[in-house]
Amino acid sequence: LFPAKTFFVFLTTAMTVAISLVIAFYLRFDFEFPPDEILSLEKVLPIAIILKLVIFSLFRIYSGMWRYVSIYDLVQIFLANFVSSFMLFFIVVTWQQEYFSGMSRSVIVLDFLICFFAISGKRVLVRILRETAEKNTGKAVRTLIIGSSGQANTLIHAFSMNPGRREIIGILNDGKESGVSLRGVPLLG
Protein backbone atom coordinates (compact mmCIF):
# COMPACT_ATOMS: atom_id res chain seq x y z
CA LEU A 1 0.00 0.00 0.00
CA PHE A 2 0.94 3.62 -0.51
CA PRO A 3 1.98 5.69 2.47
CA ALA A 4 -0.59 8.40 3.20
CA LYS A 5 1.74 11.21 2.04
CA THR A 6 2.50 9.50 -1.29
CA PHE A 7 -1.18 8.82 -1.86
CA PHE A 8 -2.00 12.46 -1.11
CA VAL A 9 0.66 13.68 -3.57
CA PHE A 10 -0.61 11.22 -6.19
CA LEU A 11 -4.22 12.33 -5.65
CA THR A 12 -3.43 16.06 -5.79
CA THR A 13 -1.39 15.52 -8.95
CA ALA A 14 -4.34 13.71 -10.56
CA MET A 15 -6.61 16.61 -9.62
CA THR A 16 -4.07 19.12 -10.95
CA VAL A 17 -3.86 17.27 -14.28
CA ALA A 18 -7.66 17.16 -14.57
CA ILE A 19 -8.12 20.80 -13.65
CA SER A 20 -5.38 21.95 -16.05
CA LEU A 21 -7.03 20.12 -18.96
CA VAL A 22 -10.45 21.58 -18.14
CA ILE A 23 -8.97 25.08 -17.84
CA ALA A 24 -7.22 24.57 -21.20
CA PHE A 25 -10.60 23.72 -22.78
CA TYR A 26 -12.20 26.76 -21.15
CA LEU A 27 -9.45 29.07 -22.40
CA ARG A 28 -9.41 27.63 -25.91
CA PHE A 29 -13.15 28.10 -26.42
CA ASP A 30 -13.60 31.36 -24.49
CA PHE A 31 -15.70 29.56 -21.86
CA GLU A 32 -18.23 28.29 -24.44
CA PHE A 33 -17.92 24.64 -25.42
CA PRO A 34 -19.15 23.31 -28.74
CA PRO A 35 -21.14 20.08 -28.05
CA ASP A 36 -18.64 17.78 -29.82
CA GLU A 37 -15.83 19.31 -27.76
CA ILE A 38 -17.60 18.40 -24.52
CA LEU A 39 -17.73 14.80 -25.70
CA SER A 40 -14.04 14.97 -26.59
CA LEU A 41 -13.21 16.33 -23.14
CA GLU A 42 -15.10 13.47 -21.49
CA LYS A 43 -13.14 10.96 -23.59
CA VAL A 44 -9.68 12.50 -23.29
CA LEU A 45 -9.78 13.41 -19.58
CA PRO A 46 -9.32 9.87 -18.15
CA ILE A 47 -6.65 9.11 -20.76
CA ALA A 48 -4.76 12.30 -19.90
CA ILE A 49 -4.90 11.64 -16.16
CA ILE A 50 -3.69 8.03 -16.44
CA LEU A 51 -1.02 8.85 -19.03
CA LYS A 52 0.41 11.81 -17.11
CA LEU A 53 0.42 9.98 -13.78
CA VAL A 54 2.29 7.03 -15.31
CA ILE A 55 4.82 9.25 -17.11
CA PHE A 56 5.31 11.39 -13.98
CA SER A 57 5.98 8.21 -12.04
CA LEU A 58 8.55 7.06 -14.63
CA PHE A 59 10.29 10.43 -14.30
CA ARG A 60 10.24 10.02 -10.51
CA ILE A 61 8.27 13.21 -9.97
CA TYR A 62 6.76 11.77 -6.78
CA SER A 63 10.09 10.87 -5.15
CA GLY A 64 11.47 14.38 -4.60
CA MET A 65 11.11 16.28 -1.36
CA TRP A 66 8.99 19.35 -2.04
CA ARG A 67 10.61 21.45 0.64
CA TYR A 68 13.93 21.16 -1.21
CA VAL A 69 12.64 21.67 -4.76
CA SER A 70 15.42 22.72 -7.12
CA ILE A 71 16.03 23.55 -10.77
CA TYR A 72 16.69 19.84 -11.39
CA ASP A 73 13.20 18.99 -10.06
CA LEU A 74 11.59 21.65 -12.25
CA VAL A 75 13.43 20.33 -15.32
CA GLN A 76 12.19 16.81 -14.51
CA ILE A 77 8.62 18.12 -14.19
CA PHE A 78 9.00 19.95 -17.51
CA LEU A 79 10.35 16.87 -19.29
CA ALA A 80 7.73 14.53 -17.83
CA ASN A 81 4.98 16.95 -18.77
CA PHE A 82 6.42 17.41 -22.26
CA VAL A 83 6.65 13.66 -22.91
CA SER A 84 3.16 12.98 -21.57
CA SER A 85 1.65 15.89 -23.52
CA PHE A 86 3.42 14.75 -26.69
CA MET A 87 2.07 11.22 -26.21
CA LEU A 88 -1.43 12.58 -25.57
CA PHE A 89 -1.14 14.72 -28.71
CA PHE A 90 -0.10 11.63 -30.69
CA ILE A 91 -3.05 9.63 -29.32
CA VAL A 92 -5.53 12.38 -30.17
CA VAL A 93 -4.16 12.89 -33.69
CA THR A 94 -4.04 9.14 -34.38
CA TRP A 95 -7.64 8.50 -33.30
CA GLN A 96 -9.13 11.88 -34.06
CA GLN A 97 -11.51 10.62 -36.78
CA GLU A 98 -12.78 7.63 -34.82
CA TYR A 99 -12.71 8.69 -31.20
CA PHE A 100 -11.85 12.38 -30.76
CA SER A 101 -13.73 13.95 -33.66
CA GLY A 102 -13.58 17.72 -33.61
CA MET A 103 -11.13 17.98 -30.72
CA SER A 104 -8.87 20.99 -30.95
CA ARG A 105 -5.19 20.04 -30.66
CA SER A 106 -4.34 23.47 -29.28
CA VAL A 107 -6.04 22.39 -26.05
CA ILE A 108 -3.19 19.93 -25.48
CA VAL A 109 -0.61 22.68 -25.94
CA LEU A 110 -2.45 24.91 -23.46
CA ASP A 111 -2.77 21.97 -21.07
CA PHE A 112 0.99 21.36 -21.28
CA LEU A 113 1.71 24.94 -20.18
CA ILE A 114 -0.96 25.09 -17.48
CA CYS A 115 -0.05 21.69 -16.04
CA PHE A 116 3.66 22.49 -15.93
CA PHE A 117 3.11 25.79 -14.13
CA ALA A 118 0.55 24.29 -11.74
CA ILE A 119 2.65 21.30 -10.68
CA SER A 120 5.85 23.35 -10.46
CA GLY A 121 4.02 26.14 -8.67
CA LYS A 122 2.73 23.80 -5.96
CA ARG A 123 6.25 22.66 -5.18
CA VAL A 124 7.81 26.10 -5.26
CA LEU A 125 5.01 27.39 -3.02
CA VAL A 126 5.71 24.64 -0.47
CA ARG A 127 9.40 25.61 -0.45
CA ILE A 128 8.63 29.32 -0.08
CA LEU A 129 6.23 28.66 2.79
CA ARG A 130 8.74 26.39 4.55
CA GLU A 131 11.61 28.85 4.21
CA THR A 132 9.41 31.74 5.33
CA ALA A 133 8.20 29.79 8.36
CA GLU A 134 11.78 28.88 9.32
CA LYS A 135 12.91 32.50 9.10
CA ASN A 136 10.08 33.61 11.38
CA THR A 137 10.72 31.14 14.22
CA GLY A 138 12.91 32.25 17.10
CA LYS A 139 16.05 34.33 17.20
CA ALA A 140 18.34 33.98 14.19
CA VAL A 141 22.12 34.14 14.29
CA ARG A 142 23.21 37.17 12.29
CA THR A 143 25.95 36.11 9.87
CA LEU A 144 28.36 38.07 7.68
CA ILE A 145 30.02 36.05 4.92
CA ILE A 146 33.59 36.93 3.90
CA GLY A 147 34.89 35.57 0.60
CA SER A 148 34.34 35.56 -3.15
CA SER A 149 30.84 35.65 -4.58
CA GLY A 150 31.17 32.03 -5.79
CA GLN A 151 32.08 30.82 -2.31
CA ALA A 152 29.35 32.96 -0.78
CA ASN A 153 26.79 31.50 -3.17
CA THR A 154 27.78 27.98 -2.13
CA LEU A 155 27.60 28.91 1.54
CA ILE A 156 24.20 30.61 1.22
CA HIS A 157 22.88 27.55 -0.61
CA ALA A 158 24.23 25.26 2.12
CA PHE A 159 22.67 27.42 4.84
CA SER A 160 19.31 27.37 3.05
CA MET A 161 19.35 23.57 2.88
CA ASN A 162 19.90 23.16 6.62
CA PRO A 163 17.04 24.04 8.94
CA GLY A 164 19.16 26.22 11.27
CA ARG A 165 18.14 29.75 12.14
CA ARG A 166 20.62 32.01 10.39
CA GLU A 167 20.12 35.51 9.02
CA ILE A 168 22.77 36.40 6.46
CA ILE A 169 23.20 40.16 6.68
CA GLY A 170 25.77 40.66 3.93
CA ILE A 171 28.76 39.46 1.94
CA LEU A 172 32.21 41.02 2.09
CA ASN A 173 34.24 40.26 -1.03
CA ASP A 174 37.01 41.85 -3.06
CA GLY A 175 34.83 44.93 -3.74
CA LYS A 176 34.41 44.54 -7.50
CA GLU A 177 30.70 43.80 -7.22
CA SER A 178 29.43 46.01 -4.41
CA GLY A 179 25.92 47.40 -4.65
CA VAL A 180 24.37 44.22 -6.03
CA SER A 181 22.87 41.21 -4.27
CA LEU A 182 23.40 37.47 -4.39
CA ARG A 183 20.37 35.31 -3.56
CA GLY A 184 18.84 38.37 -1.96
CA VAL A 185 21.89 39.10 0.23
CA PRO A 186 23.68 42.42 -0.40
CA LEU A 187 27.33 42.40 -1.47
CA LEU A 188 28.95 45.02 0.73
CA GLY A 189 32.26 45.29 -1.05
Side-chain angles (χ1 to χ4, degrees):
L1 292 174
F2 284 131
K5 184 179 175 183
T6 304
F7 180 73
F8 177 74
V9 170
F10 197 74
L11 185 64
T12 59
T13 303
M15 291 185 335
T16 303
V17 168
I19 290 169
S20 71
L21 187 62
V22 171
I23 289 172
F25 265 90
Y26 271 113
L27 290 175
R28 167 60 181 90
F29 296 107
D30 297 326
F31 303 99
E32 294 180 13
F33 287 136
D36 56 338
E37 292 291 340
I38 293 173
L39 293 174
S40 295
L41 175 62
E42 291 173 354
K43 292 176 183 177
V44 79
L45 191 59
I47 295 169
I49 292 171
I50 292 168
L51 180 65
K52 287 195 177 199
L53 291 178
V54 168
I55 297 298
F56 288 176
S57 180
L58 293 174
F59 275 81
R60 302 179 49 83
I61 299 300
Y62 308 115
S63 65
M65 295 178 68
W66 287 22
R67 62 183 163 191
Y68 300 117
V69 69
S70 65
I71 298 297
Y72 173 81
D73 297 317
L74 298 180
V75 168
Q76 288 300 103
I77 292 169
F78 178 85
L79 292 174
N81 199 27
F82 180 80
V83 168
S84 59
S85 293
F86 180 78
M87 291 176 72
L88 183 62
F89 186 85
F90 180 77
I91 290 169
V92 167
V93 168
T94 302
W95 288 296
Q96 188 159 19
Q97 296 298 326
E98 298 85 17
Y99 197 65
F100 302 108
S101 62
M103 181 171 170
S104 174
R105 293 176 298 277
S106 62
V107 168
I108 297 171
V109 175
L110 286 170
D111 171 61
F112 162 72
L113 295 171
I114 295 168
C115 190
F116 169 69
F117 286 116
I119 290 177
S120 300
K122 285 191 311 186
R123 293 182 182 219
V124 169
L125 181 63
V126 167
R127 180 171 177 175
I128 289 170
L129 291 174
R130 180 189 67 87
E131 288 182 2
T132 302
E134 284 180 357
K135 286 181 182 176
N136 295 331
T137 57
K139 183 102 171 121
V141 176
R142 294 173 50 95
T143 306
L144 180 66
I145 298 175
I146 301 173
S148 71
S149 56
Q151 293 167 332
N153 183 44
T154 303
L155 200 55
I156 293 169
H157 178 71
F159 286 153
S160 70
M161 300 304 284
N162 296 322
R165 293 177 185 89
R166 188 173 299 273
E167 176 189 359
I168 303 172
I169 59 172
I171 302 168
L172 286 177
N173 63 0
D174 56 10
K176 295 177 188 172
E177 303 159 338
S178 64
V180 296
S181 66
L182 177 67
R183 293 186 182 245
V185 179
L187 274 73
L188 305 171

